[in-house]
């Protein structure tokens, strides 16, 4: 099968401590991810560990859960059911200017016959990166809506 690997990054003008809570709370993704990614909450947890969501995207659906949290630097997520299975993680790196470089990495395998066939025909990694840039930009807008005192 074709491994799906990608790493997408974006620089935000906010410190990691302000961004991390949004990334650790995967049920909260529903409030800031682009509308075409339908997020259904399967399980919440008070400490965000083992919270579960189901996401419907253009390539199909998948279920994932938080498996490890390391404030304010990393959130590990396991994709356990659907069109892909494997691991992903958010890395937050504080920048010299006080901002944060946020990176989202995936190491996934196509799951099921149809997705296995599709992954042989098109580059799913590139498609994921293209779509995920919109997610990262939406996160920026969401952060601005939470923390900016004056509109730009």
């Amino acid at each position: 099968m074709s491994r799906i690997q990608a790493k997408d990054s974006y620089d935000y003008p906010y410190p990691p401590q302000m961004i991390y809570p949004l990334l650790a709370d995967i049920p909260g993704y529903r409030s800031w991810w682009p509308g075409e990614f339908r997020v259904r909450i399967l399980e919440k947890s008070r400490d965000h560990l083992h919270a579960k969501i189901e996401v419907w995207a253009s390539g199909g659906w998948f279920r994932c859960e938080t498996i490890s949290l390391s404030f304010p630097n990393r959130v590990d997520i396991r994709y356990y059911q659907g069109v892909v299975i494997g691991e992903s993680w958010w890395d937050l790196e504080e920048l010299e200017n006080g901002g944060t470089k946020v990176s989202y990495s995936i190491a996934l395998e196509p799951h099921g016959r149809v997705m296995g066939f599709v992954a042989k025909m098109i580059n799913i990694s590139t498609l994921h990166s293209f779509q995920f840039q919109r997610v990262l930009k939406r996160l920026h807008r969401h952060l601005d809506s939470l923390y900016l005192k004056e509109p730009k």
Side-chain angles (χ1 to χ4, degrees):
M1 293 234 177
S2 303
R3 190 137 176 92
I4 303 166
Q5 294 183 288
K7 180 177 181 179
D8 299 289
S9 302
Y10 195 94
D11 291 353
Y12 300 92
Y14 301 99
Q17 296 81 357
M18 294 173 81
I19 301 171
Y20 180 89
L22 297 173
L23 302 178
D25 177 22
I26 66 172
Y29 292 5
R30 190 163 111 177
S31 67
W32 58 268
W33 273 26
E36 62 270 19
F37 298 97
R38 294 189 324 264
V39 178
R40 186 167 72 98
I41 300 165
L42 301 175
E43 216 171 293
K44 288 183 178 185
S45 70
R46 192 179 305 253
D47 64 359
H48 303 305
L49 196 56
H50 301 295
K52 296 178 181 181
I53 59 173
E54 178 179 276
V55 178
W56 285 82
S58 59
W61 66 274
F62 59 86
R63 290 182 174 174
C64 59
E65 74 172 312
T66 50
I67 57 170
S68 178
L69 301 167
S70 179
F71 178 83
N73 305 101
R74 187 167 164 126
V75 175
D76 289 283
I77 299 170
R78 179 176 65 98
Y79 288 60
Y80 64 90
Q81 191 175 25
V83 295
V84 290
I85 55 172
E87 308 294 324
S88 70
W89 56 96
W90 293 100
D91 283 312
L92 293 85
E93 175 187 344
E94 189 162 8
L95 302 172
E96 287 183 19
N97 66 3
T100 304
K101 178 179 183 174
V102 173
S103 299
Y104 186 72
S105 301
I106 58 170
L108 304 171
E109 297 286 341
H111 186 245
R113 279 189 206 170
V114 172
M115 189 56 147
F117 178 75
V118 169
K120 290 178 183 177
M121 304 302 287
I122 63 173
N123 186 332
I124 303 294
S125 300
T126 301
L127 179 61
H128 181 276
S129 288
F130 176 76
Q131 289 183 328
F132 216 77
Q133 285 301 317
R134 290 195 347 267
V135 172
L136 294 170
K137 288 176 184 170
R138 282 294 298 266
L139 176 59
H140 194 167
R141 278 194 269 156
H142 188 67
L143 288 161
D144 285 351
S145 75
L146 292 174
Y147 300 125
L148 272 186
K149 304 225 184 317
E150 296 178 27
K152 288 184 177 179

